[in-house]
Amino acid sequence: MYAIEINHISKSYGRVKALDDVSLTIDKGELFGIIGPDGAGKTTLFRILTTLLLPDAGTAAVEGFNTVTQMKDIRCRVGYMPGRFSLYQDLSVEENLHFFASLFGTTVAEGYDSISAIYSQIEPFRHRKAGALSGGMKQKLALCCALVHQPSVLFLDEPTTGVDPVSRKELWDVLALLKQRGITVVVSTPYLDEVLRCQHVAFLDKGQVQGVDTPEIILERFANIFNPPPVDRDRTGTQDDNVIEVEHLVKAFGTFHAVDDISFSVKRGEIFGFLGANGAGKTTAMHMLTGLNQPTSGTGTVAGYDIRTQHEQIKKHIGYMSQRFSLYDDLTVAENIRLFAGIYGMNDRDIARKTDELLRRLQFEDHKTDLVSSLPLGWKQKLAFSVSIFHEPDIVFLDEPTGGVDPATRRQFWQLIYDAAERGITVFVTTHYMDEAEYCNRISIMVDGKISAIGTPDELKKRFRQPDMDHVFTLLARQAKRSAN
């Protein structure tokens, strides 16, 4: 008997066919990957298999139980970690774990052996609210919550999105241990190094299974999707004047220095990568530069304005795209553009002209009146970036802008970044994709609130004698002494 058997499953949302006659089998105890571009139907398939959605046609069985007629039998046997953290942010680590155990009629004590290897890493923070944890720690907690009732099948929908490379490797080491214990693990991921750690993968596109095989064979067959050619750009087109200057910047919370005496400068038109593991201090530093938080000590200017005294002027001369998209899901594409353009003080004539130009450039003309909530993830990100630079700011700050997006869509996004830089807009970007780090003019890497290294990608690889930026990052991040929390 298979762990999972899917026969001719279809599911539509109005006119959109999310799944179209999908059939698939997964062996017991297998580490199996579900991969594909944004909007391929991966999340819909996960939700059907975990009994959260009913299919329009076809049948599916998990551990021999039908997903429609035997929901209760399945729910006590599976663990599910959705793409967005399934945690209660206002509850502590311990409270979250006890709550999820109680949902399955068990206790943490009964299931402790099944989670001890993971939970021991976060147990020292058991009284801390989940919302105060780093991304890596949140995902370890979410995994514990999904495992506390000792399921035989575990579903993970992009579990490492937004997590630094070192924490990602640690999580996949845990998944390998779960497989050794006989747990069937079904996981979706946009990271190619993670795809290669699966035994077999199914490639979904446009709601259909295009192929099932080993990762190596699938990635080779569909190289245009998963391994598009790198963006071709000369990384020397910066100007001489600095648009960001920081000296001895510190941000302390009590005795804890989230940012601990950093100094650097960024030139006009430069693509500046601001890297670091979860908890290294990147987001705190970015909040000071964008006027969202005030420094404890040190000085800095952004677009010529003082970050201590002129933060309101700074906000008028920058664009900002956060990890959680700064778009309104219940407004249309056009309404979002108009709203943000109005906030930046643009007049109606310029808004109308530039809106038409933007929709043509993004090939969104037919989606002008679509609600943002209906757009695929990659589309949302391209729109959010375009809206953040709609007013032609001096600098745009991008906080992990491509998290969870497939390689082909990420390539399109970076072409938008290059186009902005060519127009003289400085791009200040954080990312956990180390291939994207290679695209930056210069990179800084933060460890324990300090900048441990800064330079071009080639300079850093040569200095640390590493073959690529992934190895450079891992080498430096593993030197961290303080917790990511």
Side-chain angles (χ1 to χ4, degrees):
M1 185 177 67
Y2 294 111
I4 297 166
E5 190 168 2
I6 303 165
N7 295 301
H8 306 292
I9 286 286
S10 293
K11 180 67 179 180
S12 297
Y13 303 101
R15 294 176 299 169
V16 178
K17 203 152 196 176
L19 294 174
D20 185 8
D21 196 25
V22 170
S23 295
L24 182 66
T25 58
I26 299 173
D27 290 333
K28 284 192 173 185
E30 186 168 17
L31 179 49
F32 192 94
I34 306 287
I35 62 175
D38 301 312
K42 302 184 297 294
T43 296
T44 296
L45 183 59
F46 273 81
R47 291 176 67 81
I48 287 174
L49 294 175
T50 54
T51 74
L52 299 176
L53 275 180
L54 297 176
D56 296 333
T59 61
V62 177
E63 292 280 284
F65 297 98
N66 186 282
T67 58
V68 175
T69 62
Q70 297 172 295
M71 290 183 181
K72 289 184 179 180
D73 296 288
I74 290 176
R75 288 177 181 176
C76 68
R77 287 171 170 81
V78 304
Y80 178 44
M81 186 172 160
R84 295 188 177 183
F85 295 123
S86 54
L87 300 173
Y88 291 90
Q89 305 295 309
D90 291 333
L91 295 183
S92 69
V93 168
E94 193 172 56
E95 289 168 340
N96 267 282
L97 198 56
H98 282 292
F99 173 73
F100 280 93
S102 68
L103 288 180
F104 293 100
T106 186
T107 65
V108 174
E110 285 183 57
Y112 190 82
D113 287 345
S114 65
I115 64 171
S116 59
I118 315 165
Y119 189 57
S120 60
Q121 301 173 44
I122 56 177
E123 196 166 12
F125 311 101
R126 61 186 178 277
H127 299 305
R128 185 170 298 180
K129 287 186 177 181
L133 298 175
S134 70
M137 287 294 187
K138 281 182 179 178
Q139 289 186 304
K140 288 173 184 175
L141 175 58
L143 187 55
C144 287
C145 292
L147 288 169
V148 70
H149 62 295
Q150 305 179 62
S152 55
V153 182
L154 181 63
F155 293 95
L156 306 172
D157 192 1
E158 297 191 359
T160 55
T161 295
V163 177
D164 67 80
V166 174
S167 296
R168 288 200 295 110
K169 291 180 177 72
E170 292 175 351
L171 190 66
W172 273 81
D173 288 342
V174 170
L175 297 186
L177 290 175
L178 296 178
K179 178 189 174 300
Q180 290 177 14
R181 284 166 38 192
I183 296 176
T184 304
V185 181
V186 185
V187 59
S188 67
T189 177
Y191 293 97
L192 299 189
D193 60 321
E194 296 182 355
V195 172
L196 289 168
R197 295 191 66 166
C198 298
Q199 290 172 269
H200 292 90
V201 295
F203 170 47
L204 263 65
D205 192 18
K206 298 182 176 64
Q208 297 181 325
V209 175
Q210 306 295 332
V212 181
D213 216 311
T214 63
E216 293 81 3
I217 291 175
I218 292 295
L219 293 180
E220 183 178 349
R221 279 181 60 192
F222 302 100
N224 60 319
I225 299 287
F226 297 105
N227 191 25
V231 180
D232 183 21
R233 180 181 184 270
D234 180 6
R235 294 189 302 212
T236 60
T238 60
Q239 301 176 28
D240 290 336
D241 56 319
N242 291 332
V243 292
I244 299 176
E245 294 182 336
V246 170
E247 292 186 5
H248 305 295
L249 201 63
V250 174
K251 180 61 179 181
F253 299 94
T255 59
F256 176 71
H257 285 198
V259 175
D260 191 7
D261 193 11
I262 63 173
S263 300
F264 64 92
S265 61
V266 182
K267 296 186 179 300
R268 185 175 301 280
E270 185 172 19
I271 300 175
F272 187 80
F274 201 57
L275 310 185
N278 294 115
K282 306 185 304 298
T283 300
T284 301
M286 190 178 288
H287 283 174
M288 287 188 282
L289 296 178
T290 55
L292 298 175
N293 214 331
Q294 302 305 304
T296 303
S297 62
T299 61
T301 59
V302 173
Y305 297 100
D306 191 295
I307 62 173
R308 283 181 165 277
T309 61
Q310 298 176 296
H311 35 89
E312 290 305 317
Q313 289 92 326
I314 287 174
K315 292 175 185 176
K316 296 176 183 177
H317 289 82
I318 65 171
Y320 181 64
M321 179 178 165
S322 66
Q323 293 168 304
R324 297 181 178 180
F325 309 114
S326 48
L327 297 173
Y328 290 91
D329 279 349
D330 54 352
L331 296 181
T332 67
V333 168
E335 288 168 343
N336 266 280
I337 295 171
R338 169 166 284 280
L339 172 65
F340 285 98
I343 290 173
Y344 286 118
M346 296 178 63
N347 62 56
D348 289 345
R349 181 179 298 177
D350 286 343
I351 292 173
R353 174 180 57 82
K354 293 198 68 177
T355 296
D356 290 339
E357 292 174 359
L358 174 59
L359 293 173
R360 280 196 302 272
R361 186 163 65 249
L362 296 179
Q363 298 180 350
F364 275 21
E365 297 102 320
D366 294 338
H367 302 280
K368 181 177 181 179
T369 59
D370 289 1
L371 290 176
V372 164
S373 60
S374 69
L375 300 179
L377 176 63
W379 291 27
K380 285 183 181 180
Q381 287 176 302
K382 287 188 285 187
L383 178 61
F385 173 69
S386 299
V387 167
S388 72
I389 61 170
F390 195 72
H391 59 302
E392 295 291 322
D394 293 307
I395 306 154
V396 61
F397 291 87
L398 308 176
D399 194 0
E400 297 177 26
T402 56
V405 176
D406 64 84
T409 305
R410 289 198 292 114
R411 186 185 188 279
Q412 296 169 13
F413 189 94
W414 271 84
Q415 190 59 61
L416 296 176
I417 289 178
Y418 292 154
D419 292 345
E422 291 296 335
R423 301 201 304 272
I425 297 175
T426 298
V427 180
F428 190 99
V429 57
T430 72
T431 179
H432 287 320
Y433 290 99
M434 292 301 104
D435 60 322
E436 294 183 351
E438 302 272 2
Y439 294 155
C440 298
N441 295 99
R442 285 188 305 141
I443 296 164
S444 76
I445 300 178
M446 286 190 73
V447 177
D448 291 347
K450 299 179 180 292
I451 293 179
S452 288
I454 190 167
T456 69
D458 289 341
E459 288 170 350
L460 295 181
K461 286 182 285 187
K462 184 177 180 180
R463 184 187 314 169
F464 295 102
R465 300 179 181 179
Q466 299 296 322
D468 52 41
M469 283 307 303
D470 183 65
H471 283 79
V472 173
F473 181 93
T474 301
L475 176 70
L476 294 176
R478 289 197 185 281
Q479 296 174 8
K481 293 182 174 61
R482 76 186 191 191
S483 163
N485 293 280

